[in-house]
Amino acid sequence: TPDKHLEYSKWKRSPYKHQSNVICSFLRLDLLPAKNGEEVTKHFLQELLNILLAYISKSLNRSSKVLDFHHPHQLKEGLEGFSLELQDQPDNLEQLLVDCQDTLKYGVKTAHPCFFNQLSTGLDIIGLAGEWVTSTANTNIFTYEIAPVFILMEDIIFKKMHSIIGWSEKEGDGIFCPGGTMSNLYSVLLARYHFFPRVKTAGMLALPPLALLTSTHSHFSIKKSAAVLGIGSESVFLVKCDERGKMIPKELESSIRTAKSKGLVPFYVNATAGTTVYGAIDPLNDIADICERFGLWMHVDAAWGGGLLLSKRHRMKLQGIDRASSITWNPHKMMGVPLQCSVILVQKKGLLQECNQLCAEYLFQPDKHYDVSYDTGDKSIQCGRHVDIFKLWLMWKAKGSEGFESQVNHCLENAEYLYYKLKSRKDFQLVFQSQPEHSNVCFWYLPTSVRNMPPGPERDRELHMVAPKIKAKMMEEGMTMIGYQPLGDKVNFFRCVFSNPATQKEDVDFLLDEITRLGRELYS
């Protein structure tokens, strides 16, 4: 209303404006596109920016907590005026700002240098700026007519990634996906269409009984893709790995023959470049040889390991990736791009379009006045698609390939530092004595009581409970955060992963000190 805007205008000129709560009288309807809404909108967004800047600074402050943990029932019941419930009447802008502040307060600071819990950590400021610009543009990325710059950026980035992989300029295609699971699903979808194109129109009746092959340490999304696509999770053959979590090529051959002997038609092999827990990289060249011999589609899930390709020091670990038919690569992991940012890269140009296009006439008219090959939306199984390209493109502009290389090297140097620290300690035990291949480091903390026990089932039972107890206490205190899990015959162990360029050696030391302190308190 005019009166409210007059009141706001006076408040803006007041030297005591920061002590005033006049914004509490404004609602969403007072923001743009409301008439005379510019000033209110500006102030609201400036106040929000102040909240975000304070949060970012706090996230990078080592003396601040990684999280302020509360149980689900506590958050549901409401804390200090923070309520998740929705009412019929609108809240004022001041309350919305408080809600934004509380949402961040009770969340987890994944940018904190002592957050080691997930593969996606850190907060790149340029990437954040890219996400803000993307949300402001608020467009879809299915046609050139509504996303011209973003469409061209995708084309540029894909060519860059193809070149890094080693594909020729005439090869290669890709699409941004909502996470690595969807990228892996695309790979199975494309492989099936490549060998059995009639499945697109005739459905499952056009298919023989199929078999997929992947390692026992691979991501669960391969099984999930088989279930979603109607192939069935029981048609996924899990290939044995060596003790470091790498697929054994001879076991792959054996599994292919086993599938055939059961009357199934193997068509797809997933090799992993950076397993989730161990960070293991399968022998890609050996697997490519087998796929060529049996005429199978080779996919490489490099969601975690793809970033190593940017490092001259580490890219040889992925030797043979250029022989893949498709590749999953998540820049939101080792490259530090804000979530989400995942791509499926395909060697055969045009296959994505052939497999997925349905030529919706209200979107993909062939008689447009520009080059309609840039209407890329029909390559996707989605219609509406979030713009994930700009933050990656902007970060690449800001860092250059050399900046990404330094970042990757730094993360693996941190892993190496932790490995050697653990190796020298009697109260810790490495899951593997060999140096980590990626930035995953897996280990047990050994309380004195466990350390003095002879090997056997009783010791394993005790050791199995150590990591969960320490993790629970760690989350309650909130100063650091690390994941744990069992795997195969190994009882619960800690897994530390490095993808945050803000993390330094002092943070690694702090992590070990915290685990030791908490362990002593629990087992004294």
Side-chain angles (χ1 to χ4, degrees), residues 138-407:
N138 193 32
T139 192
N140 212 318
I141 196 166
F142 41 48
T143 61
Y144 180 85
E145 67 184 276
I146 64 164
V149 181
F150 296 139
I151 290 277
L152 294 178
M153 285 175 176
E154 279 198 347
D155 189 52
I156 294 292
I157 284 285
F158 286 139
K159 285 176 180 174
K160 186 75 171 176
M161 295 176 112
H162 297 158
S163 172
I164 290 168
I165 289 163
W167 290 345
S168 73
E169 287 186 13
K170 294 180 181 178
E171 295 175 307
D173 205 346
I175 199 85
F176 277 77
C177 305
T181 291
M182 286 301 297
S183 294
N184 284 341
L185 185 143
Y186 268 99
S187 72
V188 180
L189 179 71
L190 291 167
R192 185 176 68 175
Y193 176 81
H194 173 72
F195 290 113
F196 309 101
R198 284 201 67 239
V199 70
K200 181 176 176 179
T201 51
M204 301 300 286
L205 294 175
L207 296 174
L210 300 176
L212 298 79
L213 299 104
T214 190
S215 85
T216 53
H217 285 237
S218 65
H219 196 260
F220 67 86
S221 56
I222 303 302
K223 265 194 170 184
K224 185 168 281 192
S225 297
V228 168
L229 294 171
I231 298 168
S233 59
E234 290 181 359
S235 298
V236 179
F237 285 69
L238 299 178
V239 182
K240 290 179 184 176
C241 295
D242 62 20
E243 63 172 14
R244 286 295 281 111
K246 295 169 175 285
M247 184 190 286
I248 302 169
K250 285 185 179 179
E251 293 291 341
L252 174 59
E253 285 196 62
S254 175
S255 295
I256 292 169
R257 292 193 174 93
T258 299
K260 286 185 170 185
S261 71
K262 292 183 175 182
L264 302 176
V265 178
F267 75 105
Y268 171 101
V269 174
N270 172 64
T272 307
T275 58
T276 306
V277 180
Y278 289 166
I281 298 170
D282 288 338
L284 303 182
N285 267 322
D286 292 341
I287 293 169
D289 290 341
I290 293 168
C291 288
E292 284 181 10
R293 197 179 319 135
F294 285 93
L296 308 179
W297 180 284
M298 177 183 169
H299 174 67
V300 176
D301 178 3
W304 177 221
L308 300 184
L309 291 168
L310 296 163
S311 166
K312 298 182 192 75
R313 193 185 305 169
H314 298 288
R315 64 170 290 116
M316 291 305 290
K317 295 174 181 177
L318 274 65
Q319 193 170 18
I321 195 170
D322 58 304
R323 299 172 67 186
S325 302
S326 58
I327 298 165
T328 290
W329 184 346
N330 284 9
H332 68 230
K333 289 180 177 167
M334 184 53 68
M335 294 173 73
V337 178
L339 285 157
Q340 64 194 23
C341 190
S342 175
V343 297
I344 176 70
L345 303 168
V346 188
Q347 190 177 47
K348 185 179 178 184
K349 203 172 186 68
L351 186 63
L352 271 165
Q353 190 86 11
E354 292 171 26
C355 178
N356 296 315
Q357 73 174 355
L358 287 174
C359 304
E361 292 180 346
Y362 65 91
L363 282 177
F364 306 113
Q365 304 92 337
D367 54 357
K368 292 179 180 179
H369 69 288
Y370 58 82
D371 182 353
V372 294
S373 68
Y374 288 102
D375 284 356
T376 57
D378 229 5
K379 294 195 292 186
S380 170
I381 59 176
Q382 299 170 252
C383 179
R385 195 159 59 88
H386 185 263
V387 176
D388 292 325
I389 178 59
F390 184 66
K391 55 196 171 187
L392 172 58
W393 179 88
L394 199 65
M395 283 176 64
W396 217 311
K397 291 279 281 189
K399 295 173 187 279
S401 299
E402 290 179 357
F404 277 124
E405 179 177 20
S406 297
Q407 184 173 311

Side-chain angles (χ1 to χ4, degrees), residues 477 479-480 509-519:
E477 297 197 8
M479 295 307 295
T480 187
D509 292 338
F510 178 76
L511 171 68
L512 295 185
D513 289 345
E514 275 293 277
I515 292 174
T516 303
R517 181 183 66 82
L518 295 169

Side-chain angles (χ1 to χ4, degrees), residues 73-116:
H73 73 273
Q74 293 173 308
L75 285 176
K76 281 184 177 180
E77 289 164 5
L79 292 166
E80 300 172 359
F82 179 46
S83 174
L84 301 177
E85 296 302 317
L86 300 173
Q87 288 109 19
D88 291 336
Q89 296 301 312
D91 279 335
N92 60 49
L93 297 183
E94 184 181 46
Q95 182 59 51
L96 297 186
L97 290 170
V98 171
D99 289 342
C100 290
Q101 201 164 19
D102 287 343
T103 298
L104 294 172
K105 177 183 177 181
Y106 296 117
V108 179
K109 298 181 183 72
T110 59
H112 197 290
C114 292
F115 178 77
F116 304 98

